[in-house]
Amino acid sequence: RHVLTVLSMLEKQHGVLYTNLVKVDEGSTTTTVMEAVQYLMDLQSIPKKRVLYGLAQHASDEKEKTALLLLSSKTLNGETLYEAFISRNAVSIGDLFSLFPSCTPTLETLLALLPSLPPRYYSVCCSPLEQMEEQDLFLRIAFAVVDFETPNLGRKFGMTTRYLETIASPLLASPDAAASSIPRVKLFSRGYAQIIGTEFHLPSNIKTPLILIGPGTGIAPFVGFIAHRRYQSLLAATEQTNKPRSESLSISEGTWRGGYEMERGDVGDGERMKKSDEATSGKEWPPIDVFFGCRCSTHDFLYREELTRFQSQGVVTNLFTAFSRSEEKKVYVQHRMKEEPIAARVSHLILEKSAAVYICGDGNAMAKDVQNALAEVLSQKFGGDIDAAKNYIDEMKEKRRMLIDIWM
């Protein structure tokens, strides 16, 4: 809708057709106006004051220009109006062209003023080793559809999650649709290995205990972690029966950074994995404690079946859940980890078993609250010294024993 509004404005006010070819940057290839508006401009984000001020310069109606200037100002009235109108209603940049129709900047101005469309990152929630049991290659992600009501502008949707929901819904409704028409989605790798401090992957030692804290869609990468740890252990057990010890453990020496460049024969076939699974069904797995939280257990408990199955197989040692809307008092994952005997176990795994801790999810408050809860739990082993516990957590981060992947 926003793209069509901008394209219509450009044609009517400036005679620029959506099929016209333009060169956005010096040295770049040409692209159509429609592609430039659709893929290079972020029309969905909430406008910053700089953008509001810039757009005000292109409003021909004086009342609209005054309103945009007030919204862009840092005065008390400007801040109050911005909060009441822009923030509360999640007014997007694209909305502004409908709300202020006299604002008609040129294509060049839009490209210079508006922010670029940012990439959307989603965690992979499967293991590359799972490919061995399937005929076709696959990749799983989890996402929560952004869909909410605003006080004055009606219903709002997230751009990417709405798109993914649109193409996924027919496939969920009818298996025949999946067989007849499979939509194609462009993907890219974030390149964790090239970004210092974002090595969000499993420890190379498969015997390292894990504490995985992932409320909401933050559980997604941990489903992949658990599956990967299970396959690693099964493969190691299989290889040990056929090779010398020094050679049999080589399969778990590396770390998984999301790479999928492997041939099916590299790690064995599904039948061998199945036999290994049966042979090790009663084995003692390295400890994995999972903390998951959501609003209600009946409709947004993501990966309930998978997590329950992992627990019944013994891969997951403990599954601690928190459902914030199921009881009168809201309970979150950070509350659960402070309960006894859970707190004692968390402290034991971290301080005595050198467990690795992973936190994933919404970064607005959750990650900070979880770290504060962990500091409170660990402080009991430091004579109640909360600062000593926080220093220990900082050391864990430096040593990559605590890794955090959050989004805003």
Side-chain angles (χ1 to χ4, degrees):
R1 178 171 60 89
H2 296 327
V3 171
L4 294 178
T5 300
V6 173
L7 290 175
S8 177
M9 180 272 292
L10 290 173
E11 181 176 355
K12 291 179 180 179
Q13 300 298 325
H14 305 291
V16 177
L17 300 178
Y18 71 92
T19 54
N20 288 2
L21 295 177
V22 294
K23 184 172 287 190
V24 177
D25 298 309
E26 188 67 30
S28 65
T29 58
T30 58
T31 184
T32 65
V33 171
M34 181 173 182
E35 289 172 335
V37 174
Q38 187 171 9
Y39 299 118
L40 301 181
M41 302 178 191
D42 187 4
L43 300 175
Q44 197 77 359
S45 64
I46 294 177
K48 295 185 181 299
K49 290 182 177 289
R50 177 187 65 83
V51 173
L52 290 167
Y53 181 82
L55 292 177
Q57 312 309 311
H58 300 274
S60 57
D61 183 274
E62 285 302 319
K63 290 183 178 179
E64 291 185 5
K65 182 174 184 177
T66 300
L68 285 168
L69 287 173
L70 179 58
L71 286 167
S72 71
S73 73
K74 295 184 178 181
T75 64
L76 178 60
N77 288 339
E79 297 286 4
T80 302
L81 182 60
Y82 186 94
E83 177 62 31
F85 180 59
I86 301 291
S87 297
R88 288 193 63 206
N89 290 286
V91 176
S92 67
I93 293 174
D95 289 328
L96 296 175
F97 295 103
S98 298
L99 295 169
F100 302 92
S102 77
C103 180
T104 57
T106 64
L107 177 62
E108 290 76 15
T109 299
L110 291 174
L111 289 169
L113 181 63
L114 302 189
S116 301
L117 188 66
R120 268 61 171 179
Y121 298 117
Y122 295 91
S123 299
V124 175
C125 51
C126 57
S127 164
L129 297 180
E130 289 183 73
Q131 308 292 338
M132 299 308 108
E133 293 186 337
E134 301 290 340
Q135 293 299 317
D136 299 314
L137 296 178
F138 63 88
L139 188 70
R140 297 194 193 103
I141 63 170
F143 62 92
V145 178
V146 178
D147 181 354
F148 60 96
E149 289 285 340
T150 63
N152 304 109
L153 293 183
R155 198 172 177 184
K156 289 274 191 173
F157 301 97
M159 184 181 71
T160 305
T161 59
R162 177 69 167 171
Y163 166 70
L164 292 173
E165 180 190 31
T166 300
I167 64 174
S169 293
L171 306 181
L172 295 173
S174 172
D176 294 334
S180 60
S181 178
I182 300 178
R184 294 187 176 275
V185 180
K186 293 183 179 180
L187 302 176
F188 65 95
S189 172
R190 183 175 179 177
Y192 274 116
Q194 301 174 2
I195 306 175
I196 302 299
T198 57
E199 300 88 348
F200 200 74
H201 55 70
L202 285 169
S204 58
N205 186 349
I206 66 174
K207 294 185 178 181
T208 300
L210 305 177
I211 298 177
L212 310 177
I213 306 164
T217 53
I219 194 65
F222 300 144
V223 173
F225 277 20
I226 297 166
H228 198 67
R229 177 61 72 85
R230 170 179 172 267
Y231 280 98
Q232 281 183 315
S233 297
L234 294 175
L235 285 166
T238 301
E239 297 297 330
Q240 278 184 315
T241 61
N242 301 319
K243 296 180 180 180
R245 179 176 177 79
S246 59
E247 185 180 354
S248 66
L249 293 180
S250 62
I251 193 166
S252 62
E253 289 300 316
T255 55
W256 173 39
R257 297 180 183 271
Y260 286 82
E261 299 79 9
M262 59 171 64
E263 298 295 332
R264 191 172 301 272
D266 289 345
V267 293
D269 55 28
E271 185 62 29
R272 195 177 80 175
M273 298 281 271
K274 181 179 179 181
K275 291 179 180 178
S276 178
D277 200 358
E278 293 172 352
T280 58
S281 60
K283 70 171 290 184
E284 182 178 347
W285 300 86
I288 299 180
D289 281 16
V290 179
F291 288 84
F292 171 78
C294 62
R295 292 189 174 187
C296 184
S297 63
T298 56
H299 68 271
D300 53 1
F301 190 163
L302 301 178
Y303 297 105
R304 177 203 292 265
E305 293 183 6
E306 288 85 349
L307 292 171
T308 302
R309 183 172 66 251
F310 284 138
Q311 189 176 26
S312 66
Q313 292 172 338
V315 186
V316 169
T317 311
N318 291 292
L319 174 59
F320 302 114
T321 56
F323 305 111
S324 60
R325 301 297 188 274
S326 297
E327 302 177 13
E328 292 185 8
K329 184 179 180 180
K330 293 182 180 179
V331 178
Y332 298 105
V333 289
Q334 59 265 29
H335 299 138
R336 290 303 314 276
M337 64 179 54
K338 292 193 292 185
E339 298 174 1
E340 292 294 354
I342 300 175
R345 175 171 175 80
V346 168
S347 180
H348 171 74
L349 287 176
I350 293 176
L351 297 176
E352 299 180 35
K353 297 297 182 180
S354 299
V357 179
Y358 294 81
I359 304 171
C360 183
D362 186 350
N364 286 328
M366 182 276 298
K368 182 178 179 181
D369 292 341
V370 166
Q371 291 178 78
N372 287 336
L374 284 172
E376 187 175 331
V377 168
L378 296 180
S379 69
Q380 302 306 310
K381 296 293 185 179
F382 290 93
D385 189 339
I386 194 72
D387 290 332
K390 289 182 177 180
N391 289 336
Y392 186 85
I393 288 176
D394 289 339
E395 291 178 8
M396 290 180 65
K397 292 178 182 178
E398 292 177 3
K399 296 178 180 178
R400 302 290 184 260
R401 278 185 57 206
M402 177 178 289
L403 294 172
I404 302 173
D405 187 15
I406 59 176
W407 53 83
M408 301 296 181

